[in-house]
Every structure is written in structure tokens, then in C-alpha cells.
Amino acid sequence: MPLPDDDHTGSRIREQRRLRRLSQRELADRIPYSLSLLNQVECGARSATPGFVAAVARALGVDTSKLTGPPAMALLPSERLLALVAPIREALDRFGLGPNPDLTAVRPAPKLIAEADGLCRQVRAAHLRAAANALPGLIVELTHAVWTAPSASLWRALASAYRTAHDVALKLDHPDLARVALDRMGWAAERASDPCIEAVQRYKRAILWRCATSLPLISSGHGLLAEETSREALAVAGQLHLGAATVAAKNEDATALATHLAAARDLADRVGGEAREVHWLSFGRVNVRLHELGASIAMRCFDDALGQARALKLPESMLMSRRARYLADRALVEMEAGSAKTSLRYLAEARKLAPEQTRHLPGTRTTIRGLVHMSRRAPDSLGGMARWIGI
């Protein structure tokens, strides 16, 4: 792998130097320290003193925190990002407060239900900002509606809105808020008495973080569907198997991974085509292959992942968010294969299709850092990508 396992001040100095297209000699000429010392610091053989770091930071035109702070500093949300998610957090907090006396008018139930579905569609089209802006108002109205005129369809719509809040929060790198949204989704799904929605919620919980409850959540989701035989239930059951495959890959359990992928393939054959109408899961044969690619990446089987990525042909109907995720994954495996130009091209395509989603994918940062370490002098396009994600 081009990206070194160590992550110290020297490696970040090397990273920033290459982004500014400087050789070690050119940087050494700009600081009152020797080329030999710079080389030793960059490779981790010598520690960087505060004076050395300050001199290098001045020469590179960066703050010292870029060279000494943890890498995650660059991913801290901006004020603009917080402005998007704060209203969603406030709307989620209204779940148990009953009717809202401050609401003077609430739209009819059919319009609220249609908007909940429309916001799901916007997230799948990678229009995260538009969905995030509209979501708080919808959640507030739906919460009021289920307390004043409850119905199964309104509870389902509220569960869908909470699920969209989870998706937006997760794609914008707020996993804690995503978990709160999933708790709210479970609360609404239970009141809708809809086993498929409850099973989707458990699938989402299982894959949010790897933990001891992930597999029990998957099993309980299958239990909810035990008596269901509809195409909808088959698609959700298949997605649960894909969730179990994701967990197995994170646990590096190749046997369980193969078992759940095989079960998902069988269900995809029974469903036939892509079940896009089933809770926006898009379960089907292509989705199974995308999860197989993701599992290979998670298990660091990059030779397998490269073959899988290059063999995949996405249909024109593929949702934009899934297409962008595939492009970002393709960029990562091409980088691992040493194809820097191809990797950067796929990453640029992912950014063009879904900039907000792509920016916050962990793999995006890994790919860009890997490409920087592969380059003696980072091209301008790579430098622009690095600045875009905060490196």
C-alpha cells in the first residue's frame, strides 16, 4: 500500500511538501536546517523539535497544526455544515413532546407523505444540502400530525423522515446524530406496525458501527420477516444479508462473508431486477456486487477488489449516490494498484456527481493521502483535491 502505516509529524511534513510540489532539497533550502535532518524527520528516524516544525510551517505557508495535529482535525465540521445539521437535531428532539402549539398550519397528510418520499429521492440523487434544509420542517409537521391525527401511513412517513435524517447525518460525517435518528426511526416504525420498516431500521443500526449487537440486530430483522413472503420482504431480507456481510468483512470472517453473500445472491435472483421501490434500498444483483466490492476493500483484498471494480457495469438507472460511492471505491482500489492517474480521474468523477457525500467518505481521504505519497510532486489537480478535504 502506498500510504505508510505510521502517521507522525515527519509524514505530514512530507505530505504538505509534496502538495506544494517541492523536493526535499528545495524545502531544505528554505529552512535553517540541513537536508539530512529533514530526510530523517520525514522518514521518522528523528523527532521534529518545535523550532524545526515552526520553520517548516513558515516555509510551506501552513499552520503548525497541519504538521503536528491529528489527521482528523481537518475533518472537523465547518460552521456551514453545523448550520445544516443543527436544525435536524432540534427537530429530532421533538419526538416525545406531543402536539406542537407553535404550529399554526400543517399540510394535509398526503402532501406530508409525498414529501417524505421526495426527500428520500433527493438523498439518493446526492442532493444532500436540499434534503437537509427541508428535513427539519417536515419532521416537525409530521411529529405534530401523528400526535393529533395518527395513522399507519403518517407513522410510516415519519419513520421514513427519520431514516432520511440518519442518511444525511451519516453522509455528512455526523455518526452520533445518525444513531439518534435511527432510534427515532425505530420508535415511529413500531407504531406504524410495519415489519419491513422495522427490519430496515435494524439493518441500519447493525452496520452503523461494528459492535457485539450487530449480528443479533440482523437476526432480529430476519425474525420480523419470518412470516412475510412479499417481494418487499424478500428485498429487505436480502439487504439484511448484505448487512451481515458488511459486518463479517469488518470482522475479517471470510466464511460468514461468503455465506451471507450467497444468501443475498439467491434472494436477488428471486426478487428479479433492482427493487428500487422498496424503501429506496435498490436491492438486486448489482447491489450485491457493490457490497462484494466493499467487503473486499474492508478486508484489504485489493487484488480481488480491483477485479470486481473493473468488471462492474452500472446500469444507467443506478441511483446517483450509489454511483458516486462506486466511483470513490474504484478510485481507492486503483490507487492501491498503483494507477495514480486513473485513481484521480475516478475520484474527480465522484466529486462531480456527489461532492458533499464524496468529501466525507473515509475512503476519499485514504485515496488522496495515498496519491500524495505516490507522487514526488503532486499535480495541481491532486493539490486541489487535498485542499478540498482539508489536508
Side-chain angles (χ1 to χ4, degrees):
M1 181 178 180
L3 189 61
D5 291 333
D6 58 334
D7 188 10
H8 48 74
T9 297
S11 70
R12 290 192 281 274
I13 288 173
R14 179 175 59 238
E15 192 171 79
Q16 294 298 321
R17 170 178 63 76
R18 287 176 173 173
L19 286 172
R20 281 150 187 81
R21 310 185 71 179
L22 295 173
S23 67
Q24 279 191 340
R25 167 59 67 188
E26 288 168 332
L27 177 56
D29 288 344
R30 299 184 183 191
I31 60 176
Y33 296 90
S34 68
L35 172 62
S36 175
L37 177 60
L38 174 60
N39 179 60
Q40 291 179 68
V41 169
E42 284 196 1
C43 71
R46 292 278 296 274
S47 298
T49 65
F52 182 89
V53 171
V56 171
R58 284 194 299 271
L60 295 176
V62 299
D63 190 87
T64 56
S65 63
K66 280 275 190 182
L67 307 179
T68 60
M73 287 182 63
L75 293 180
L76 290 176
S78 65
E79 291 183 4
R80 186 169 61 178
L81 190 56
L82 286 173
L84 274 180
V85 299
I88 297 175
R89 191 182 300 277
E90 292 178 10
L92 293 176
D93 281 343
R94 289 210 59 86
F95 82 105
L97 299 181
N100 188 344
D102 297 327
L103 281 181
T104 57
V106 177
R107 286 171 289 173
K111 289 191 174 181
L112 295 175
I113 294 167
E115 185 175 352
D117 190 61
L119 291 188
C120 272
R121 185 180 298 109
Q122 284 195 321
V123 171
R124 272 64 194 169
H127 300 155
L128 297 184
R129 189 175 301 277
N133 284 327
L135 191 57
L138 175 65
I139 291 175
V140 169
E141 283 190 78
L142 278 169
T143 304
H144 178 85
V146 297
W147 285 113
T148 55
S151 68
S153 58
L154 279 172
W155 280 112
R156 281 195 294 270
L158 181 57
S160 175
Y162 286 144
R163 182 258 186 93
T164 297
H166 158 271
D167 292 346
V168 169
L170 198 59
K171 289 177 186 295
L172 295 181
D173 199 35
H174 280 70
D176 289 337
L177 182 59
R179 170 158 283 194
V180 172
L182 281 185
D183 287 342
R184 303 293 185 268
M185 180 184 175
W187 173 75
E190 184 178 353
R191 285 155 179 78
S193 299
D194 188 322
C196 284
I197 294 179
E198 289 188 71
V200 170
Q201 190 261 0
R202 296 185 192 191
Y203 157 75
K204 293 283 189 179
R205 285 172 61 193
I207 64 172
L208 182 57
W209 281 310
R210 180 180 62 184
C211 59
T213 57
S214 292
L215 291 179
L217 283 167
I218 295 290
S219 297
S220 68
H222 281 299
L224 290 169
L225 303 175
E227 304 300 322
E228 304 292 327
T229 59
S230 65
R231 186 170 185 265
E232 175 189 19
L234 291 176
V236 175
Q239 196 70 32
L240 284 164
H241 278 297
L242 292 181
T246 299
V247 174
K250 291 177 180 177
N251 290 330
E252 299 185 350
D253 186 340
T255 301
L257 173 63
T259 298
H260 288 292
L261 284 176
R265 289 190 197 97
D266 178 65
L267 285 166
D269 290 340
R270 293 170 64 186
V271 167
E274 301 294 312
R276 292 185 60 179
E277 78 284 1
V278 179
H279 306 293
W280 296 95
L281 293 174
S282 290
F283 178 75
R285 298 181 185 93
V286 174
N287 198 12
V288 173
R289 296 180 70 188
L290 287 170
H291 277 75
E292 187 177 14
L293 168 61
S296 294
I297 292 172
M299 295 183 72
R300 304 182 63 76
C301 299
F302 291 111
D303 286 343
D304 292 341
L306 184 63
Q308 292 158 358
R310 290 180 174 177
L312 264 170
K313 304 297 180 185
L314 301 186
E316 293 296 324
S317 60
M318 177 62 63
L319 294 170
M320 196 71 71
S321 58
R322 293 183 183 273
R323 186 178 296 275
R325 177 60 186 263
Y326 160 76
L327 291 170
D329 284 346
R330 178 74 182 266
L332 175 59
V333 297
E334 293 286 354
M335 181 273 291
E336 291 286 354
S339 303
K341 289 184 179 180
T342 304
S343 173
L344 190 56
R345 174 166 59 85
Y346 279 110
L347 196 58
E349 289 184 37
R351 178 183 179 181
K352 182 178 180 180
L353 282 181
E356 295 160 329
Q357 171 182 309
T358 302
R359 182 181 184 186
H360 293 281
L361 288 173
T364 297
R365 186 175 182 85
T366 300
T367 300
I368 291 175
R369 293 195 68 206
L371 290 173
V372 169
H373 283 276
M374 290 170 66
S375 306
R376 291 182 64 84
R377 296 171 185 255
D380 290 341
S381 55
L382 178 56
M385 282 283 190
R387 290 189 292 275
W388 174 57
I389 67 165
I391 293 180

